[in-house]
Amino acid sequence: MRASRTLAMALPAIVAGQKPQYPPPFPPTPILPSSINYAPSVTPNVMDTTAPNAQVGCNAYGNDVKDLTLSVQYQSQERLAVRIYPKHLQPSNQSLYILSPSLTPQPGIGYGASKASSDLAFSWTNSPSFQFRITRASSGETIFDTYGHKIVFEDQFLELVTNMVPQYNIYGLAENLRGFRIPNNFTQTFWNAYNLDNDQELDVNGHSVHPVYLETRYGNGSKDSSLSHGVYARNAHGQEWLMRDESITYRTIGGSFDLYFLSGSTPKEVISQYQSGIVNTPYLPAYWHLGFQQVRWSYQNWSNLQDVVDAYAAQNIQLEGLMSDLDYLKTNRDFTDNPGHYDIGPGKAFLDRLHANGQYYMPILDPNIYVPNPANASDAYPPYDRGAELQAYIRDGNDSFYYGVEWPGFSVFPDFITPQAQQFWTEQCLAFHEKLAYDGFWLDVNDATSFCTGSCGQGLREENPIHVPFALPGDPNTSVAVDYRYPEMFNITNATEASSAASAMMSQSIMYPTPSVTPTPTVGRTLATPDVRNLTYPPYAINNFLPGHSLQKQVISPDATHNDGPYNSTEYELHNLYGHTSGNATYNALKAVFPGKRPFFINRSTFSGSGNFSGE
Ligand SMILES: *[C@@H]1O[C@H](CO)[C@@H](O)[C@H](O)[C@H]1NC(C)=O
Ligand SMILES: *[C@@H]1O[C@H](CO)[C@@H](O)[C@H](O)[C@H]1NC(C)=O
Ligand SMILES: *[C@@H]1O[C@H](CO)[C@@H](O)[C@H](O)[C@H]1NC(C)=O
Ligand SMILES: *[C@@H]1O[C@H](CO)[C@@H](O)[C@H](O)[C@H]1NC(C)=O
Ligand SMILES: *[C@@H]1O[C@H](CO)[C@@H](O)[C@H](O)[C@H]1NC(C)=O
Ligand SMILES: *[C@@H]1O[C@H](CO)[C@@H](O)[C@H](O)[C@H]1NC(C)=O
Ligand SMILES: *[C@@H]1O[C@H](CO)[C@@H](O)[C@H](O)[C@H]1NC(C)=O
Ligand SMILES: *[C@@H]1O[C@H](CO)[C@@H](O)[C@H](O)[C@H]1NC(C)=O
Ligand SMILES: *[C@@H]1O[C@H](CO)[C@@H](O)[C@H](O)[C@H]1NC(C)=O
Ligand SMILES: *[C@@H]1O[C@H](CO)[C@@H](O)[C@H](O)[C@H]1NC(C)=O
Ligand SMILES: *[C@@H]1O[C@H](CO)[C@@H](O)[C@H](O)[C@H]1NC(C)=O
Ligand SMILES: *[C@@H]1O[C@H](CO)[C@@H](O)[C@H](O)[C@H]1NC(C)=O
């Protein structure tokens, strides 16, 4: 279930004085105290006027790494790669610095590439410290230039500054809701996040991370004299790009510098060099994937869905596919059916009619697995047991699975970087398709979201099913019992109805005030400690927009652990890839369900290259 974005689209027409009906999202289970979701606040570095300048002195936001390797590769005529990474790495610390090519492509030197035939040239100096510059070989035009700045390499902090031309024009650095050209005074933060209250906030970190930009230098009058190039920084850690007058500062809270310069020189060529040369081209959709698909939360049963299909037909609007939000599931548990509402029998009949009519069905799928209450035999949930048997879930250290809270209640999260999680996911998707002949999925909340701060521990198992720690539309006696919000500009379409809803909303908020939020403690700046990484409150605090700015806010905590053997990866390194890897696993599972066909699913969270297997 997505927040206001879905709900806004979902608003049923209000007949004046009559409340819209939402089905309760849950049976009346206990609502967890919202304190479970509070992370101590931290001051983002970009707002902290007393923050140290990493360009001066050592160990500013981590422990300096002393021995580094520089690699410069003329990989093709159009692509030059510059990598800076620690010289001494073992399996135990490799994944902290090196983003595995199994997670996103790391291109190498192509056939016939050479310095002599390259569009780009690399130059450098060691005085007073290592600095480098990328130029166009033909004209000497500088496109990237760290001269005059230090390159900082610490275990939890990297910084590099490039000089830019005045009023530079750059585009990209998604995901973000803002104007196309990035202003020269803007800070882009990257940390996949989900805002319950407003999923469409401008200018902040979003669901996805694509650390690549296109720069265009416009010519004088003729378009042929404009030149564009691209820069891709292959690093998935939490990071910030500070666009400033005549410079960009690039900072990450881990990993390595793994930079790719693309010579363009048209915008289209830059995009093509990025896709074909590095992350791979987007998947080829089947024709029907491009059709109009409809979704709304609040449909209570299969006959509601049939009414929707019939209403489109009656209006002669071509409807290619229909999606379901969580309401089709038994208390939001994946791979189930909501009894009495979405029973398998009528579902089969509905899908037979839909398919006979050449239409498709793509229900929602969430990458969290409900943990059944061990004290309640009727709460059995076999998908959980199978994943546990395969050891397919993210862990909390070595002793336990990592437990969080998601829409179904207390939940675990498949560890999609492992083969056993892929096996689990494929098996479940296959078995579910035997029951319900869906045609694809809408993969949601894979940021990945969790509503405990840090691990919830195992204590909530015997409380399950529990309700997320905030009220949902449909919950009785809350300020969201009835959602009176309207789509933008509805006040113009029907001023009478809009004003009646607005006044209902006013009186509702008086009747049911929003519970007050307990002030959270603020943690001071974490100091770098030799040989210690602080995964939850790293020394450099990025400006995550969620209240309190913590990296632990509403996600699987960065100190959760993965099942990748000697590499001991933590969620700190992999957070921004959860959407990408769950997408990959869903794509692979759908290939098994529909052999020989091009799978269709859309996802919420992505990384560079996700388009290779998923739609958005
Ligand atoms: C506006 O809303 C009112 C109340 O729901 C309804 O009676 C009326 O028909 C609507 N007007 C239009 C133009 O849709
Ligand atoms: C990685 O671990 C090895 C072995 O413990 C150590 O020698 C090396 O310095 C570590 N590398 C970094 C960059 O911390
Ligand atoms: C996608 O799945 C394949 C097959 O399991 C695996 O080889 C690859 O590394 C995965 N890629 C990502 C991005 O997870
Ligand atoms: C940033 O630049 C934009 C124009 O590019 C301007 O509208 C805005 O006011 C500037 N913001 C600040 C904080 O200077
Ligand atoms: C564009 O043309 C103007 C007027 O001829 C000139 O002053 C300016 O330097 C030119 N700019 C570039 C980038 O060539
Ligand atoms: C489906 O839900 C509607 C309410 O939206 C209800 O009126 C109807 O009886 C339900 N139909 C079935 C078959 O359960
Ligand atoms: C046991 O679980 C079932 C299924 O989730 C639920 O309907 C029932 O209310 C639970 N019983 C108790 C005592 O919590
Ligand atoms: C987990 O187990 C591995 C392998 O036995 C070991 O190297 C690692 O230190 C353990 N980690 C924790 C947090 O106990
Ligand atoms: C909601 O409020 C009504 C009236 O105050 C009360 O009777 C009812 O028990 C409440 N329901 C819940 C679930 O708290
Ligand atoms: C409709 O609402 C918008 C913003 O909510 C407001 O700017 C606009 O003036 C309103 N228009 C009318 C006709 O009330
Ligand atoms: C990380 O830093 C925070 C804030 O400085 C501190 O409260 C916490 O104890 C630290 N965690 C570790 C594991 O050092
Ligand atoms: C899929 O992901 C993109 C960005 O990553 C997001 O904008 C879009 O809303 C997502 N789609 C759905 C249906 O969640």
Side-chain angles (χ1 to χ4, degrees), residues 76 276 319 349 499 514 522 568:
S76 70
S276 312
L319 178 69
S499 81
T514 309
T522 303
N568 293 322

Side-chain angles (χ1 to χ4, degrees), residues 354-555:
L354 194 75
H355 291 153
N357 208 24
Q359 292 168 305
Y360 300 89
Y361 179 59
M362 277 134 316
I364 197 170
L365 180 69
D366 284 357
N368 48 71
I369 297 294
Y370 176 75
V371 179
N373 183 335
N376 178 355
S378 3
D379 199 43
Y381 179 54
Y384 169 84
D385 301 332
R386 178 60 178 149
E389 181 189 9
L390 289 169
Q391 298 286 301
Y393 304 129
I394 288 181
R395 305 190 80 88
D396 178 15
N398 284 358
D399 298 332
S400 145
F401 295 135
Y402 179 91
Y403 296 105
V405 164
E406 250 296 340
W407 303 123
F410 195 46
S411 302
V412 289
F413 304 88
D415 188 1
F416 288 109
I417 63 168
T418 66
Q420 64 269 29
Q422 179 71 68
Q423 184 188 342
F424 166 65
W425 207 237
T426 303
E427 280 178 13
Q428 297 304 317
C429 290
L430 279 166
F432 189 53
H433 190 261
E434 293 290 304
K435 281 205 303 185
L436 190 71
Y438 62 81
D439 301 293
F441 283 122
W442 155 29
L443 187 64
D444 203 36
V445 296
N446 54 347
D447 308 285
T449 314
S450 166
F451 302 111
C452 265
T453 288
S455 158
C456 316
Q458 301 190 52
L460 296 173
R461 287 185 68 136
E462 304 207 347
E463 312 271 319
N464 243 355
I466 40 167
H467 187 300
V468 291
F470 44 84
L472 293 170
D475 285 342
N477 294 5
T478 67
S479 63
V480 289
V482 179
D483 191 331
Y484 288 111
R485 286 170 297 175
Y486 263 73
E488 243 175 277
M489 308 314 280
F490 189 83
N491 55 355
I492 290 166
T493 320
N494 192 331
T496 326
E497 191 175 326
S499 81
S500 119
S503 59
M505 189 160 76
M506 288 294 290
S507 57
Q508 181 190 54
S509 58
I510 294 159
M511 276 165 65
Y512 305 119
T514 309
S516 63
V517 173
T518 315
T520 59
T522 303
V523 299
R525 194 182 311 119
T526 302
L527 299 176
T529 311
D531 299 323
V532 175
R533 289 192 313 151
N534 188 321
L535 302 179
T536 49
Y537 286 88
Y540 182 86
I542 62 173
N543 188 19
N544 182 17
F545 76 103
L546 291 176
H549 311 287
S550 167
L551 294 184
Q552 287 190 299
K553 189 73 187 170
Q554 263 161 233
V555 292

Side-chain angles (χ1 to χ4, degrees), residues 53 62 98 148 179 226 262 313-314 355 398-399 453 465 485 548 557 562 599 612:
N53 178 359
I98 307 292
S226 297
L262 304 168
H355 291 153
N398 284 358
D399 298 332
T453 288
R485 286 170 297 175
S557 182
H562 287 265
N612 193 217

